[in-house]
Amino acid sequence: MSGTFIGMPAFPKAAHEAVRDATLRANLRHATHTIRDKRAVAVAELADWAELREAGKQIKTETLRNLDTYLVQLEEAVTAAGGTVHWAADSAEANRIVTDLVKATGESEVVKVKSMATQEIGLNEHLEAEGIRAYETDLAELIVQLGEDRPSHILVPAIHRNRGEIRDIFRDTMGRWGRPAPEGLSDSPAELAEAARLHLREKFLRAKVGISGANFMVAETGTLVVVESEGNGRMCLTLPETLISVVGIEKVVPTWRDLEVFLQTLPRSSTAERMNPYTSTWTGTTDGDGPSAFHLVLLDNGRTDALADEVGRQALRCIRCSACLNVCPVYERAGGHAYGSVYPGPIGAILTPQLRGTASEVDASLPYASSLCGACYEVCPVAIDIPEVLVHLREKVAEQGGKGHRLEKAAIKTSTWVLDHPGVLGAGERIASATRKLHPRKLPGPGARQWTESRDLPPLPTAPFRDWWKKNRAGNRPDDRTGDDA
């Protein structure tokens, strides 16, 4: 299966197929419930969690208001520390920059880590077309890559796979990508992890170029930060001679003191850990320590468009903890692939349509991929009001039209005219009551039928309310009677 999401069907169709996969639903239910239960315990340990959440919200909000200032400060600090900053307006420019940087080294393979932004722009596919092979080193990303699959979760990209499926993927495909899986590999987590470690170790030791993303960028010092649990990030960030980091412009924070807040909230909200096992930071280059060349590619790719939206811009506060996915009843049943984006779940439903626009069928459908239950907002560590943004984006989708929305507008316009003409309304009500036995229990037509699949139309009364009132009550009202007490 291709690693790109282009050409995916709209969410309703994709979700309809996904919910029929019993194995997928079982995998998702087990994983999301386990993660969210552990997270609740970890968060409850902090008496000041609400204050930390508000602090994270305020830091991110203030940063986005002055993003231009902090990005210039970041560029100056990175450059002063020996790094080189590149600005990429869109995916095509980012892919070109990275490809040219890799080719300049003379290498034909790279190792990658924390690369959600590179998945967003389709970097692996672009590099492959240019004769450069990219190796994912995160365990879950490795599973996805070896299985020719797509990530379905922000934190656990292979959440839709169980241990047996992972064992089969390792047995069948590892040998085509490098060191094969050990003979007799079982589905024991320890054996699977060891197989991945041995497979990746040779790549870490051989690679001359590393490509990463970053969780945060500190403007005051030009420092980039990666938090992870496996140690693969540390290997990718320190062993290669050249390091190229592709990072969305919204990942900047002003100071180290601001970073402190997120290093408390991100681990607990994502992996339910008090602190993550590995926190790697790097500032430019240092002789004899780490890569000798560092390039930072600052990626826009629709982010400034989102920033211009006063309601929608709060999506850019996201720190990619994935807590919203783990509590979402829609994601739990449909899985991440149904969203047609590298960003699945509730955050993907509001971020992707802003980054890509809502011109395509899949992007226009994403704001509707929610029950608006609000659970996502309750767990968000930076207090993104996802339901508010969903409703806001639905309004935008409705305004741009489309067959369903045109019919809806026509129906509302017709209803308005009828309600403005009581005589027409009364006649229509009497005709409807007189023909009540002929009415279907479900409405015809694709859109209307979908609405009534789980709802029966209410039965019409034998007579319109207006006629019933005139017959039974009109003469009994106080203002209809004569006398001193009227």
Side-chain angles (χ1 to χ4, degrees), residues 3-11 89-91 116 119-122 150 300-306 316 336-344 347-367 393 397 400:
T4 179
F5 291 88
I6 296 175
M8 285 285 292
F11 182 84
D90 53 27
S91 59
M116 187 163 269
Q119 292 168 357
E120 174 190 328
I121 63 176
R150 294 186 300 267
D300 186 331
N301 205 37
R303 286 159 174 81
T304 53
D305 292 336
L316 298 178
H337 292 161
Y339 292 82
S341 165
V342 69
Y343 304 112
I347 186 61
I350 65 171
L351 183 60
T352 301
Q354 294 191 83
L355 297 182
R356 299 196 310 206
T358 55
S360 73
E361 186 180 7
V362 61
D363 292 322
S365 72
L366 289 178
L393 292 176
V397 172
Q400 75 183 19

Side-chain angles (χ1 to χ4, degrees), residues 121-268:
I121 63 176
L123 178 62
N124 284 11
E125 293 76 22
H126 189 272
L127 290 175
E128 185 175 0
E130 295 292 328
I132 301 168
R133 173 161 274 196
Y135 297 109
E136 298 291 350
T137 66
D138 175 87
L139 176 56
E141 293 286 3
L142 173 65
I143 295 166
V144 169
Q145 186 175 52
L146 293 178
E148 297 183 345
D149 203 348
R150 294 186 300 267
S152 63
H153 193 276
I154 289 175
L155 178 66
V156 194
I159 196 172
H160 56 293
R161 298 290 193 183
N162 58 38
R163 295 185 308 182
E165 291 174 311
I166 295 169
R167 176 204 57 209
D168 293 342
I169 289 172
F170 281 9
R171 283 178 176 176
D172 296 342
T173 61
M174 263 189 173
R176 299 201 298 267
W177 287 79
R179 179 168 179 159
E183 289 292 333
L185 179 67
S186 75
D187 64 356
S188 161
E191 288 192 29
L192 294 174
E194 179 66 6
R197 187 187 72 83
L198 294 173
H199 177 81
L200 292 171
R201 182 57 58 97
E202 66 176 19
K203 292 179 170 52
F204 289 136
L205 296 177
R206 185 177 67 232
K208 301 296 183 182
V209 180
I211 296 177
S212 83
N215 293 97
F216 306 100
M217 303 180 290
V218 183
E220 68 175 347
T221 59
T223 302
L224 273 71
V225 183
V226 159
V227 298
E228 39 113 7
S229 301
E230 301 168 12
N232 60 305
R234 185 68 53 85
M235 302 287 277
C236 278
L237 298 169
T238 57
L239 293 180
E241 296 174 1
T242 299
L243 175 60
I244 305 167
S245 297
V246 182
V247 189
I249 56 176
E250 81 280 12
K251 294 295 186 72
V252 67
V253 296
T255 69
W256 277 83
R257 187 172 183 179
D258 297 323
L259 177 65
E260 175 192 357
V261 173
F262 302 110
L263 291 184
Q264 294 181 74
T265 56
L266 178 56
R268 289 178 184 266

